[in-house]
Amino acid sequence: ISAFTIGHIRADSPDINPENPGCCTKYIIEKFRERCHILANLGNSQIVMGYDFWKDEIEAIDILQLHIEEMKVLFASNNKELKLTEIIDILIEKKISAIVTLDEFGAVCTFEDAGDRIIIAPPFELGNIVDPTGAGDAFAAGLIATLAQSPTISFSNLYSAVDDARFWAAKACLSLGGSSTCPQRSELDEFKAQLQKREDNSLEFKKKSEADKYLRIIEKAYSKKKQVK
């Protein structure tokens, strides 16, 4: 095994296992932390226990990938609703390599050794979206599949992995359901080549302070989307 992803584990929930919550995830991370790359794409059963509960495990893994709403739950403090900019500040301060997914607004990434610089992964203009279900899982799959090709994770590795992952996520939006189609790598590469010809949507790498305006706009757009729902 060169890399793997940890997702939602219902048995970790304090409602299911009040005497030893989080035991499955903690065991897995401890077992493999020195042996392979670990991407944590945790679910509600895990994140409800908060950052302090998972602090040691988050330090041990390579990448933390969560949706913005999940990040808000993980880092919740005094019932305060965190903004996207505040979440990024926390990730930078704690030197956590992380990816915050933002639905159709793309994703924002931090890297432990990148200081206050972040990767902004803008969304693609897909006119034929069928169903976004499974896009987050496809993103995680593309990310870990690319990272698994290298024995270490550098900023350069992460940058390339994020670039690949967003094409995988976009591809997942073109089919119904979360797992109805599982394209071969050759299909994904062809899809990536076609999309690259259509528009300039390359990743951006900049200081967080320089990206604040962009992050605030994304936050407002996302909040309005939630209100509509």
Side-chain angles (χ1 to χ4, degrees):
I1 299 174
S2 57
F4 70 91
T5 300
I6 300 176
H8 167 69
I9 300 177
R10 182 163 173 74
D12 273 344
S13 170
D15 295 331
I16 302 297
N17 189 2
E19 295 184 358
N20 196 12
C23 62
C24 297
T25 299
K26 286 177 177 286
Y27 173 82
I28 293 168
I29 291 175
E30 181 60 30
K31 186 79 172 178
F32 290 95
R33 60 185 297 175
E34 301 297 334
R35 297 167 56 185
C36 59
H37 302 325
I38 302 175
L39 167 67
N41 189 9
L42 307 179
N44 191 63
S45 61
Q46 296 133 316
I47 61 175
V48 291
M49 290 174 278
Y51 170 75
D52 288 341
F53 181 88
W54 293 110
K55 182 177 181 296
D56 292 343
E57 285 70 35
I58 290 176
E59 289 179 357
I61 64 174
D62 296 285
I63 308 290
L64 174 68
Q65 178 190 327
L66 294 177
H67 185 268
I68 182 174
E69 293 299 322
E70 294 169 330
M71 284 288 188
K72 290 179 179 182
V73 173
L74 181 67
F75 292 109
S77 176
N78 300 320
N79 296 318
K80 177 188 176 183
E81 175 80 0
L82 293 175
K83 302 294 185 182
L84 176 59
T85 53
E86 294 174 317
I87 291 172
I88 299 302
D89 283 336
I90 291 172
L91 295 171
I92 291 174
E93 177 190 352
K94 297 184 181 301
K95 295 185 177 181
I96 299 173
S97 296
I99 297 168
V100 185
T101 56
L102 303 160
D103 295 336
E104 65 266 40
F105 302 109
V108 180
C109 318
T110 60
F111 184 63
E112 59 182 352
D113 293 330
D116 63 348
R117 294 180 179 274
I118 61 175
I119 300 171
I120 297 175
F124 294 111
E125 294 293 332
L126 298 174
N128 54 340
I129 292 178
V130 176
D131 182 6
T133 301
D137 290 337
F139 189 101
L143 189 78
I144 203 69
T146 303
L147 291 176
Q149 298 175 36
S150 174
T152 60
I153 296 180
S154 64
F155 174 79
S156 178
N157 296 145
L158 178 62
Y159 191 94
S160 297
V162 170
D163 194 30
D164 275 347
R166 64 199 187 114
F167 285 100
W168 287 39
K171 180 68 171 176
C173 293
L174 305 183
S175 59
L176 188 63
S179 58
S180 59
T181 59
C182 294
Q184 298 294 318
R185 189 62 184 255
S186 58
E187 296 177 68
L188 290 163
D189 289 342
E190 182 180 351
F191 174 71
K192 179 178 180 178
Q194 291 173 349
L195 213 52
Q196 284 177 322
K197 290 179 182 178
R198 237 167 46 196
E199 55 184 308
D200 178 17
N201 42 30
S202 57
L203 301 183
E204 296 183 54
F205 178 51
K206 58 178 58 180
K207 288 185 177 180
K208 193 265 182 181
S209 58
E210 297 173 348
D212 261 356
K213 183 177 180 180
Y214 174 84
L215 296 176
R216 294 182 193 283
I217 291 173
I218 293 299
E219 176 74 33
K220 288 181 179 179
Y222 183 80
S223 296
K224 285 185 178 181
K225 171 194 168 186
K226 280 175 56 182
Q227 292 171 6
V228 170
K229 285 186 175 182

